[in-house]
């Protein structure tokens, strides 16, 4: 372009406005365009974010139905492809935005499997899902199952058949108390009588002393200047007889001081006997009432327990401890009452009353007071001296004088007759009471010897029962499905060994006592002490093992960390109520989630009985050792809760360990009941030197009975007030377990349990009104899980159960594979999209990384 | 004079100046109106977006008590999992609401500051935030956000009486809470109650006892 053209263009004004408008408007338009693009961008971004959320949740909708239905857990199905679902949904829905956005890379990454654990804790995912699920249903189940005590108590009122047994048992217990009270009262009475007799003897000797002294004093007074006036003895004049007042006071004071102590003792003794005799009619009346009540109760108990349907010849002839005791007591009472009639008591009371009224005790006290109060008033002394002088002058011989002195002191009562009367009564009654006491004690003691032998035999027999395990549930998981379980060891080995030793030593001890073999008894005592020491050592070891978790639970309280404690409760309860155990009815019961146990793909039953060559506790030890053998099962056969408790591959071992765990808890809980049950303590007390053997045997046996009841689906109160292993308690046991139950059949073979009974409905709940919190096998498992297992152990074992069940379910359903490590609970999505602007010049970056290209990363979970 | 008018009429000098003055003034005025309207709509859209974000954020993440400082839990770690809220759909809804009142009030200020093109006369506020049970085991979040803001050329709109002297922008949003485990648990609980009630017949009274037992237990732990 030449210069001329340039100048022309510059000078030409036309079109300059357009140029100016362009320059002015362009910035405005640019701003407006930017605002439009920003608005569009923001709208699209919001839409895409919502789209990502919706598509992510849609992908999560493909959950694992078995985990939800069976366990209430939520995880992605392992048969689906969440990534494909997500990509398809995103692509389809992004089309709604038209050309505004172009999708880029859409990817998903499942994360947080149910088995997932953080660095500081264990099984975080499954634990939180469990507590999430449990917060309402578990609490309701717990309240429904464990806290309906009133309902249970109401049912008990309807059990009229059982109430008769209870009344009989209570009547016998009342009878024993009455006899005990009678013996106690009788001993008190005998003591009082002996005291009276002793005091009377003292009084008699003192009387002689008194009589002599009185006579001597009068003689001294006479000889000291006083002369008897023979012509007018009725009007002695003291002034004429030159008596020394001081001498009189001296003599008389000495006399009183020497005798007042004994007279007071006599008074006390008489009061004692009066009180004792006054109580006697009441005691006799109470005894009669107790005897009548006991007889009626015993008859009712006999009527209840001796059933014609089951009473064959052998059982009819069998000794009935209850009846034997009642009969023996009846005889003793009748014998005592025969010799100790009320009329005899009335006569005795009348005699004593007469003695008391005739006793002129005031002679001492009043005279004594008068003398000293009057001194030195002459007239009082004169009167007293006149009295004595009249005595001295009234008779001509010594016997006459002494008789007057006696009459002044005792009136007309013959103390010798009273003493003799009391002596006869005392001796007679002593003999009667001794006889009754001996009869009663001897009978009881004889029964107790049988009882103790029966106890030992019964407990040994109970250890032979299949209570330790259900033989049908005998799966032993293969290493392929359960590789990382604990060794199948028995943590209760030492305690079982100790119990075995205790039982053997107790048997030897009884044999030694029966045979009066002193040295054998010493050996048995030593063995008993050794076994007790070993058992205590075993208990301490066991407590040390368990104390860690208990300390942790206590720590929750100490640190005010109630939330953790609450979570632990929820988790433990969820596991307990959601898994079947050996007491579950697998054909009709269901889990907390409503899932029927019958739908769980358990291994098929193949009930076996392990060979047992030995008996009793030793058999149990051998059985548990045999359970450690390997196996090839892929699933348990129903005892899943026991796996949570014990955690071994052997289903039998798990049951046995759970049994022993409950037995251990029951032993601790039963010790107060054993030591406070009057039936046990009275048995033990009457057994004299072997009383503590009884206590030890019952402490071993009582929790065993409780545990066997529990594993057979019955309930046992957490706090018991009475024991089953007594002649009275066995009535309760029969009512509770039913005569056909294995435990009652076993006990009926021992002396303790030879009480033939009518057929009692099975599984009838029975408890004392004072018992507390009747609980089931399931509840004890809950306690063990909560207070003995660590959170890691609970979750690890529960995860194993989930893995086993789900794997078996999918294997049977469609032959697919389930892996808990791939049961993901969250889905992370990464979505790249490009915003297509209306004015492309704004997008200054490269495709995929420019200003309008954005990658959204979100994670959603159940 | 006649000559002057003739020259004035026939001389086109300055014509462009006059014409351009008229056109430019009108054009720019129109553009300013359009731009200010653009700001107005932008601010409105932004506040609506913020309300949406708050509602959807609460709805999708409310079950996690640990938020790691961010409003959205975009990465569910074990910290979040271990911080799952207990009784979030029942007893602790009010506690949760008061917590979110505070979180949302803080968030709305930070969030508006990021994309705001106006000049706020005061901090944006959460007018209302409600978390309601809309069905069995299902909850909904309702949020209303407001902001008083001036923007570029707003005076033009004020002079035309299109907006108030102090324009107030209000955005509302609702979102349904996505809490699948809680929903499943609630449904299972209803099934459990119905089964107990209908299955055994005599448990009707016990249901009330169970309810009170549960309530007492929860009150014990959570006041």
């Amino acid at each position: 372009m030449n210069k001329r053209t340039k100048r022309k263009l510059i000078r030409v004004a036309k079109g300059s406005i357009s140029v100016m408008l362009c320059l002015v408007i362009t910035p405005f338009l640019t701003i407006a365009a930017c605002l439009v693009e920003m608005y569009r961008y923001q709208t699209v971004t919001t839409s895409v974010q919502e789209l990502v959320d919706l598509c992510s949740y849609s992908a999560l909708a493909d959950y694992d139905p078995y985990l939800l239905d069976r366990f209430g857990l939520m995880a992605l199905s392992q048969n689906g492809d969440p990534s494909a679902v997500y990509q398809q949904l995103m692509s389809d829905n992004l089309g709604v935005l038209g050309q505004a956005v172009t999708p880029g890379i859409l990817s998903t990454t499942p994360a947080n499997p149910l088995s997932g654990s953080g660095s500081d804790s264990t099984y975080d995912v499954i634990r939180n899902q469990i507590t999430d699920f449990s917060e309402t249903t578990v609490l309701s189940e717990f309240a429904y199952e464990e806290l309906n005590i009133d309902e249970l108590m109401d049912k008990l009122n309807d059990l009229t058949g059982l109430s008769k047994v209870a009344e009989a048992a209570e009547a016998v217990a009342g009878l024993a108390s009455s006899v005990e009270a009678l013996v106690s009262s009788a001993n008190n009475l005998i003591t009082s009588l002996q005291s009276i007799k002793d005091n009377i003897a003292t009084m008699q000797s003192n009387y002689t002393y008194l009589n002599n002294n009185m006579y001597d004093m009068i003689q001294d007074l006479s000889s000291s200047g006083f002369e008897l006036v023979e012509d007018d003895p009725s009007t002695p004049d003291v002034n004429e007889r030159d008596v020394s007042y001081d001498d009189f006071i001296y003599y008389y004071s000495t006399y009183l001081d020497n005798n007042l102590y004994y007279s007071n003792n006599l008074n006390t003794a008489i009061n004692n006997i009066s009180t004792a005799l006054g109580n006697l009619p009441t005691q006799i009346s109470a005894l009669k009432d107790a005897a009548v009540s006991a007889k009626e109760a015993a008859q009712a108990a006999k009527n209840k327990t001796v059933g014609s349907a089951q009473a064959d010849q052998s059982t009819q002839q069998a000794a009935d401890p209850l009846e034997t005791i009642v009969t023996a007591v009846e005889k003793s009472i009748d014998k005592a009452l025969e010799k100790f009639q009320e009329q005899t008591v009335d006569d005795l009371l009348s005699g004593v009353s007469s003695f008391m009224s005739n006793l002129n005790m005031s002679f001492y006290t009043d005279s004594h007071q008068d003398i000293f109060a009057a001194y030195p008033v002459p007239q009082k002394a004169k009167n007293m001296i006149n009295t004595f002088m009249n005595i001295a002058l009234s008779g001509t011989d010594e016997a006459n004088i002494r008789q007057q002195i006696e009459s002044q002191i005792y009136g007309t009562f013959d103390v010798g007759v009273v003493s003799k009367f009391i002596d006869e009564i005392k001796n007679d009654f002593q003999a009667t009471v001794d006889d009754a006491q001996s009869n009663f004690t001897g009978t009881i003691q004889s029964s107790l010897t049988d009882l103790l032998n029966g106890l030992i035999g019964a407990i040994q027999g109970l250890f032979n029962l299949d209570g330790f395990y259900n033989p049908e549930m005998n799966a032993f998981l293969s290493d392929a499905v359960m590789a990382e379980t604990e060794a199948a060891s028995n943590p209760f080995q030492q305690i079982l060994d100790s119990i075995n030793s205790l039982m053997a030593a107790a048997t030897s001890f009884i044999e030694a006592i029966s045979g009066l073999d002193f040295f054998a008894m010493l050996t048995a005592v030593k063995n008993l002490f050794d076994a007790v020491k070993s058992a205590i050592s075993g208990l301490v070891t066991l407590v040390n093992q368990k104390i860690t978790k208990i300390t942790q639970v206590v720590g929750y309280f100490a640190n005010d960390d109630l939330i953790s404690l609450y979570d632990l409760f929820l988790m433990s309860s969820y596991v307990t109520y959601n898994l079947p155990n050996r007491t579950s009815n697998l054909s009709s019961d269901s889990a907390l989630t409503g899932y029927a146990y019958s739908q769980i793909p358990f291994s098929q039953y193949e009930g076996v009985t392990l060979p047992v060559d030995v008996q009793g506790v030793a058999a149990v030890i051998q059985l548990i050792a045999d359970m450690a053998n390997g196996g090839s099962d892929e699933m348990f056969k129903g005892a899943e809760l026991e796996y949570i408790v014990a955690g071994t591959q052997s289903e039998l071992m798990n049951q046995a360990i759970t049994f022993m765990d409950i037995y251990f808890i029951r032993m601790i809980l039963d010790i107060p009941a054993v030591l406070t049950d009057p039936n046990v303590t009275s048995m033990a007390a009457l057994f004299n030197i072997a009383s503590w053997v009884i206590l030890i045997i019952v402490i071993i046996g009582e929790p065993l009975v409780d545990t066997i009841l529990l594993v057979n689906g019955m309930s046992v109160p957490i706090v018991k007030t009475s024991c089953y292993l007594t002649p009275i308690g066995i009535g309760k046991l029969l009512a509770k377990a039913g005569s056909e139950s294995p435990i009652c059949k076993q006990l009926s073979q021992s002396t303790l349990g030879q009480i033939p009974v009518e057929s009692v409905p099975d599984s009838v709940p029975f408890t004392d009104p004072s018992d507390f919190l009747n609980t089931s096998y399931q509840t004890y498992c809950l306690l063990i899980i909560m207070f003995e297992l660590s959170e890691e152990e609970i979750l690890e074992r529960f995860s194993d159960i989930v893995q086993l069940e789900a794997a078996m379910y999918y294997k049977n359903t469609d032959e697919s594979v389930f892996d808990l490590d791939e049961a993901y609970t969250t889905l992370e999505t990464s979505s790249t999209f490009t915003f297509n602007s209306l004015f492309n010049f704004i997008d200054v970056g490269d495709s995929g990384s420019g200003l309008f290209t954005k990658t959204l990363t979100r994670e959603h979970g159940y | 004079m006649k000559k002057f008018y003739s020259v004035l009429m026939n001389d086109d000098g300055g014509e462009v100046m006059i014409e351009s003055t008229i056109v430019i003034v009108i054009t720019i005025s129109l553009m300013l109106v359009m731009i200010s309207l653009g700001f107005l709509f932008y601010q409105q859209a932004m506040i609506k977006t913020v309300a949406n974000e708050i509602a959807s954020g609460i709805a999708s993440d409310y079950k996690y008590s640990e938020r790691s400082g961010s409003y959205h839990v975009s990465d569910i770690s074990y910290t979040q999992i271990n911080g799952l809220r207990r009784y979030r759909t029942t007893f602790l809804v009010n506690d949760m609401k008061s917590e979110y009142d505070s979180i949302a009030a803080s968030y709305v200020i930070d969030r508006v500051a990021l994309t705001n093109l106006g000049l706020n006369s005061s901090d944006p506020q959460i007018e209302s935030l409600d978390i309601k049970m809309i069905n069995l085991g299902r909850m909904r979040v309702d949020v209303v956000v407001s902001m008083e803001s001036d923007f570029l050329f707003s005076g033009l709109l004020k002079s035309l009486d299109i907006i108030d002297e102090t324009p107030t922008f209000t955005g509302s949003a609702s979102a349904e809470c996505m809490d699948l485990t809680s929903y499943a648990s609630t449904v299972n609980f209803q099934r459990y109650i119905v089964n107990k009630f209908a299955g055994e017949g005599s448990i009707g009274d016990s249901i009330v006892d169970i309810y009170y037992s549960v309530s007492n237990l929860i009150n014990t732990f959570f006041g």
Side-chain angles (χ1 to χ4, degrees):
Chain A
M1 188 180 291
N2 54 30
K3 289 184 178 178
R4 185 181 172 195
T5 306
K6 286 182 180 177
R7 278 199 297 270
K8 188 178 180 181
L9 281 175
I10 292 170
R11 289 175 182 171
V12 169
K14 287 185 178 176
S16 62
I17 296 302
S18 299
V19 173
M20 190 183 72
L21 277 175
C22 286
L23 292 175
V24 171
I25 290 175
T26 298
F28 288 103
L29 286 177
T30 304
I31 292 172
C34 286
L35 286 174
V36 170
E37 293 292 2
M38 288 176 70
Y39 172 74
R40 287 186 65 231
Y41 176 80
Q42 206 151 55
T43 304
V44 167
T45 301
T46 303
S47 299
V48 171
Q49 282 178 347
E50 290 181 357
L51 202 56
V52 166
D53 289 344
L54 291 174
C55 293
S56 181
Y57 279 119
S58 296
L60 284 169
D62 187 17
Y63 63 88
D64 188 319
Y66 185 78
L67 290 181
L68 179 61
D69 295 343
R70 170 68 184 92
F71 298 107
L73 303 175
M74 297 200 76
L76 277 166
S77 169
Q78 296 178 33
N79 294 327
D81 184 359
S83 183
V85 172
Y86 178 75
Q87 289 175 7
Q88 183 64 43
L89 289 172
M90 280 294 288
S91 299
D92 293 347
N93 288 291
L94 279 173
V96 175
L97 298 176
Q99 300 299 316
V101 65
T102 302
I105 299 173
L106 303 172
S107 65
T108 60
T109 307
N112 297 318
L114 282 174
S115 59
S117 307
S119 57
D120 297 331
S121 54
T122 57
Y123 294 93
D124 295 305
V125 181
I126 199 167
R127 184 186 67 238
N128 282 286
Q129 284 217 8
I130 287 173
T131 48
D132 226 22
F133 175 86
S134 307
E135 55 189 19
T136 49
T137 312
V138 159
L139 282 182
S140 304
E141 181 73 2
F142 183 81
Y144 177 71
E145 289 293 332
E146 312 299 343
L147 303 181
N148 56 348
I149 302 170
D150 291 339
E151 184 183 350
L152 184 64
M153 299 301 291
D154 290 342
K155 288 180 181 175
L156 292 177
N157 293 331
D158 301 331
L159 303 174
T160 53
L162 296 178
S163 65
K164 287 183 179 178
V165 178
E167 287 169 5
E170 288 172 4
V172 175
L175 174 62
S177 299
S178 298
V179 171
E180 187 179 352
L182 171 67
V183 170
S184 175
S185 300
N187 286 333
N188 290 337
L189 187 59
I190 289 168
T191 303
S192 297
L193 289 172
Q194 185 62 47
S195 171
I196 291 167
K197 188 183 175 188
D198 292 344
N199 279 286
I200 286 178
T202 304
M203 197 62 205
Q204 281 178 319
S205 65
N206 189 65
Y207 164 73
T208 304
Y209 179 79
L210 166 71
N211 209 353
N212 291 336
N213 277 351
M214 183 72 79
Y215 182 79
D216 292 343
M217 182 186 74
I218 292 171
Q219 292 301 319
D220 287 344
L221 285 173
S222 300
S223 61
S224 64
F226 180 78
E227 293 179 358
L228 294 175
V229 179
E230 298 292 338
D231 54 350
D232 190 7
S234 61
T235 56
D237 185 355
V238 70
N239 292 326
E240 296 175 2
R241 292 171 185 168
D242 193 19
V243 176
S244 167
Y245 290 140
D246 290 339
D247 287 345
F248 172 74
I249 293 300
Y250 169 75
Y251 286 124
Y252 190 63
S253 296
T254 304
Y255 162 75
L256 289 177
D257 288 343
N258 287 339
N259 293 280
L260 189 60
Y261 170 76
Y262 298 103
S263 64
N264 284 341
N265 277 352
L266 176 65
N267 199 23
T268 303
I270 289 172
N271 285 337
N272 285 344
I273 192 172
S274 177
T275 302
L277 290 174
N279 291 333
L280 201 58
T282 306
Q283 292 167 350
I284 291 173
S285 177
L287 179 65
K288 279 183 174 178
D289 292 343
V292 171
S293 174
K295 283 179 181 176
E296 290 176 354
Q299 191 58 47
K302 288 174 191 170
N303 292 339
K304 183 66 184 174
T305 55
V306 181
S308 57
Q310 300 199 5
D312 55 20
Q313 187 66 26
S314 60
T315 53
Q316 284 180 353
Q317 292 176 350
D320 180 351
L322 193 65
E323 184 181 357
T324 304
I325 290 173
V326 171
T327 305
V329 172
E330 281 176 337
K331 287 180 181 175
S332 297
I333 293 170
D334 289 343
K335 194 174 179 181
L337 293 179
E338 189 179 317
K339 287 194 173 184
F340 205 73
Q341 296 297 322
E342 284 184 33
Q343 186 59 45
T344 308
V345 178
D346 290 343
D347 291 345
L348 182 61
L349 286 173
S350 175
V352 172
S353 177
S354 174
F355 175 79
M356 293 288 288
S357 61
N358 289 326
L359 189 60
N360 187 15
M361 294 296 290
S362 62
F363 179 82
Y364 293 103
T365 54
D366 290 350
S367 300
H368 189 273
Q369 288 170 359
D370 280 347
I371 290 297
F372 287 97
Y375 187 78
V377 178
Q379 189 55 45
K380 289 282 183 182
K382 287 176 185 174
N383 292 341
M384 181 59 67
I385 292 169
N386 283 335
T387 301
F388 287 124
M389 288 302 99
N390 285 332
I391 292 172
L393 296 172
S394 63
T396 55
D397 55 7
E398 181 181 337
N400 189 23
I401 294 172
R402 290 183 187 280
Q403 188 175 3
Q404 286 192 61
I405 294 171
E406 270 185 18
S407 67
Q408 280 294 323
I409 298 174
Y410 294 114
T412 56
F413 196 84
D414 185 350
V415 69
V417 173
V418 173
S419 178
K420 184 181 177 185
F421 178 71
I422 290 176
D423 204 24
E424 286 176 356
I425 289 292
K426 181 253 176 188
N427 291 336
D428 196 23
F429 185 66
Q430 175 80 63
T432 305
V433 170
D434 287 348
D435 184 40
Q437 191 172 7
S438 171
N439 196 355
F440 178 78
T441 307
T443 306
I444 293 291
Q445 208 160 21
S446 171
S447 298
L448 277 178
T449 308
D450 294 340
L451 185 68
L452 186 55
N453 283 321
L455 273 174
I456 295 172
I459 292 170
Q460 289 285 10
L462 290 176
F463 274 105
N464 288 336
L465 290 178
D466 288 343
F468 282 82
Y469 58 89
N470 179 346
E472 291 184 334
M473 297 178 177
N474 62 344
F476 199 112
L477 301 187
S478 69
D479 291 342
V481 297
M482 190 72 73
E484 297 178 357
T485 56
E486 297 174 3
S489 61
N490 174 20
F492 303 96
Q493 183 75 36
Q494 186 179 354
I495 292 180
L496 278 173
D497 287 339
S498 305
I499 290 174
N500 196 27
S501 303
L502 270 171
M503 301 297 287
T507 305
S508 303
F509 186 69
I510 297 304
E511 289 172 355
I513 289 178
S514 302
L516 297 175
D517 185 342
F518 180 71
F519 293 104
M521 195 164 65
L522 283 181
T523 306
V525 168
K526 178 186 179 302
N527 291 338
L528 268 171
F529 275 114
D530 287 343
V532 169
K533 183 181 174 186
S534 175
I536 292 173
S537 171
L539 282 174
V540 170
T541 305
L542 201 59
V543 168
N544 282 336
Q545 290 174 357
K546 312 287 184 188
I547 200 73
T548 306
K549 179 62 187 303
I550 295 173
T551 305
Q552 181 186 339
V553 173
V554 172
Y556 288 145
F557 285 104
N559 300 325
D560 205 18
D561 188 7
L562 295 180
I563 298 297
S564 297
L565 184 66
Y566 183 60
D567 282 353
L568 177 65
F569 165 74
L570 287 180
M571 192 163 49
S572 305
S573 303
Y574 165 88
V575 170
T576 302
Y577 296 128
N578 216 25
L579 298 179
N581 59 68
R582 58 180 293 186
T583 67
S584 301
N585 186 335
L586 297 181
S587 60
S588 61
D589 290 350
S590 59
L592 198 60
T593 56
Y595 197 83
Y597 288 149
S598 57
Q599 296 179 354
I600 299 174
F602 289 124
S603 291
Q604 294 301 307
Y605 286 164
E606 295 174 12
V608 295
T609 302
L610 294 173
V612 180
D613 298 327
V614 288
Q615 298 293 314
V617 190
V620 173
I621 297 171
Q622 182 63 44
L623 274 174
I624 293 179
D626 290 344
M627 290 173 189
N629 297 327
S632 58
D633 289 296
E634 293 183 82
M635 265 290 286
F636 289 120
K637 296 179 180 177
E640 289 186 340
L641 185 57
E642 286 80 359
Y643 173 71
I644 300 291
V645 173
T648 77
Q649 289 170 261
S650 167
E651 201 167 21
L652 291 174
M653 175 66 93
N654 292 339
Q655 293 181 62
I657 289 178
T658 306
F659 184 98
M660 287 304 301
D661 241 325
I662 295 176
Y663 176 71
F664 171 68
I665 293 174
R666 283 300 335 164
M667 182 179 283
I668 294 173
L669 293 174
D670 277 343
I671 286 176
V674 172
L675 297 181
T676 56
D677 186 343
N679 297 313
V680 177
T681 50
S682 60
M683 280 194 314
L686 290 170
F687 209 62
N688 298 328
I689 57 172
S691 59
W692 56 278
V693 178
I694 292 260
L695 293 177
I696 289 175
I697 295 299
V698 177
I699 285 173
I700 291 172
E702 189 67 19
L704 185 62
V705 173
D706 290 343
T707 313
I708 289 174
L709 291 176
L710 286 168
V711 299
N712 281 282
M714 280 166 270
S715 57
V716 172
I718 283 187
V719 179
K720 286 171 61 175
T721 54
S722 59
C723 299
Y724 294 127
L725 287 179
T726 65
I728 296 170
I730 198 165
K732 299 180 181 180
L733 183 62
L734 288 166
K736 186 184 189 86
S739 60
E740 293 302 311
S741 62
I743 186 171
C744 288
K745 284 183 175 177
Q746 174 61 45
L747 288 174
S748 67
Q749 295 169 10
S750 69
T751 307
L752 175 70
Q754 286 174 342
I755 304 175
V757 295
E758 292 180 350
S759 177
V760 180
D762 286 340
S763 302
V764 175
F766 185 92
T767 186
D768 282 337
S770 51
D771 286 345
F772 180 62
L773 275 182
N774 237 5
T775 45
S776 65
Y777 175 79
Q778 206 176 25
T779 311
Y780 284 93
C781 289
L782 170 61
L783 291 175
I784 295 169
I785 292 170
M786 190 166 172
F787 291 104
E788 290 188 11
L789 300 184
S790 69
E791 187 178 281
E792 183 179 0
E793 284 174 322
I794 298 170
L795 292 171
E796 183 180 359
R797 292 171 188 177
F798 178 69
S799 299
D800 290 339
I801 294 291
V802 174
Q803 170 65 37
L804 285 172
E805 280 198 27
M808 185 60 72
Y809 172 81
Y810 284 111
K811 180 182 177 183
N812 294 341
T813 304
D814 54 9
E815 296 187 347
S816 60
V817 176
F818 176 86
D819 186 353
L820 194 68
D821 293 337
E822 296 180 8
Y824 298 106
T825 60
T826 62
L827 191 65
E828 182 182 303
T829 59
S830 177
S831 313
T832 302
F833 66 94
T834 301
F835 170 69
N836 298 320
S837 57
L838 286 173
F839 310 100
N840 277 332
F841 62 89
I842 297 177
D843 189 1
V844 295
D846 298 330
S847 176
S849 60
L851 184 62
F852 290 150
T853 297
K854 189 175 179 65
T855 299
L856 265 179
T857 302
R858 299 294 297 271
E859 188 169 10
H860 296 95
Y862 293 108
Chain B
M1 190 65 183
K2 195 173 184 178
K3 184 180 179 182
F4 173 74
Y5 282 114
S6 175
V7 170
L8 191 64
M9 295 298 290
N10 295 326
D11 185 5
D12 57 357
E15 173 192 12
V16 172
M17 176 64 74
I18 294 170
E19 184 180 319
S20 64
T21 300
I22 296 170
V23 169
I24 286 172
V25 167
I26 293 173
T27 304
I28 289 177
S29 297
L30 286 174
M31 292 194 68
L32 287 176
V33 170
M34 290 179 66
I35 288 172
S36 61
L37 282 174
F39 276 113
L40 179 71
F41 292 139
Y42 174 85
Q43 293 290 81
Q44 182 63 48
M46 183 201 66
I47 208 70
K48 168 73 174 173
T49 301
V50 172
N52 262 332
E53 288 177 4
I54 292 172
S56 65
I58 293 173
S60 62
D61 303 334
Y62 82 103
K63 63 198 292 186
Y64 306 113
S65 60
E66 299 292 334
R67 315 189 67 80
S68 303
S70 63
Y71 190 74
H72 269 290
V73 178
S74 58
D75 177 22
I76 301 174
S77 68
Y78 291 112
T79 304
Q80 276 75 41
I81 290 172
N82 286 324
L84 275 176
R85 298 175 195 273
R86 299 275 173 271
Y87 297 100
R88 56 186 174 272
T89 60
T90 49
F91 306 101
L92 298 185
V93 171
N94 287 335
D95 289 346
M96 198 164 59
K97 180 188 174 308
S98 62
E99 181 185 337
Y100 272 113
D101 280 337
S102 171
I103 293 174
S106 172
Y107 174 79
V108 73
I109 294 172
D110 298 339
R111 173 63 182 83
V112 166
L114 286 177
T115 54
N116 188 20
L117 294 181
L119 183 63
N120 293 351
S121 56
S122 62
D123 285 336
Q125 293 180 344
I126 303 294
E127 289 289 322
S128 68
L129 193 159
D130 290 324
I131 302 175
K132 300 174 182 172
M133 181 77 78
I134 56 171
N135 203 337
L136 190 64
R138 300 172 67 185
M139 301 179 69
R140 190 182 73 192
V141 180
D142 295 327
V143 179
V144 178
V145 180
S146 70
M147 175 180 71
E148 290 183 351
S149 174
D150 249 334
F151 49 85
L152 204 57
F153 310 131
S154 62
L156 197 56
L157 298 180
K158 291 175 187 173
S159 63
L160 296 173
D161 208 16
I162 295 175
I163 60 175
D164 296 334
E165 187 63 28
T166 305
T168 301
F169 301 93
T170 303
S172 63
S174 296
E176 183 173 341
C177 295
M178 301 302 290
D179 190 353
L180 302 178
T181 51
S182 177
Y183 177 71
S185 170
T186 306
V187 170
N188 182 73
F189 180 62
Q190 303 305 319
R191 176 204 56 76
Y192 169 86
I193 292 294
V194 169
N195 279 350
K196 290 288 184 188
F197 186 81
E200 304 194 9
S202 60
I203 199 175
D205 294 336
S206 298
I207 296 291
V208 179
D209 294 337
I210 290 172
Y211 171 76
Y212 283 122
S213 300
V214 173
S215 298
N216 290 336
L217 200 57
I218 291 166
N219 285 332
T220 302
F221 282 107
F222 297 105

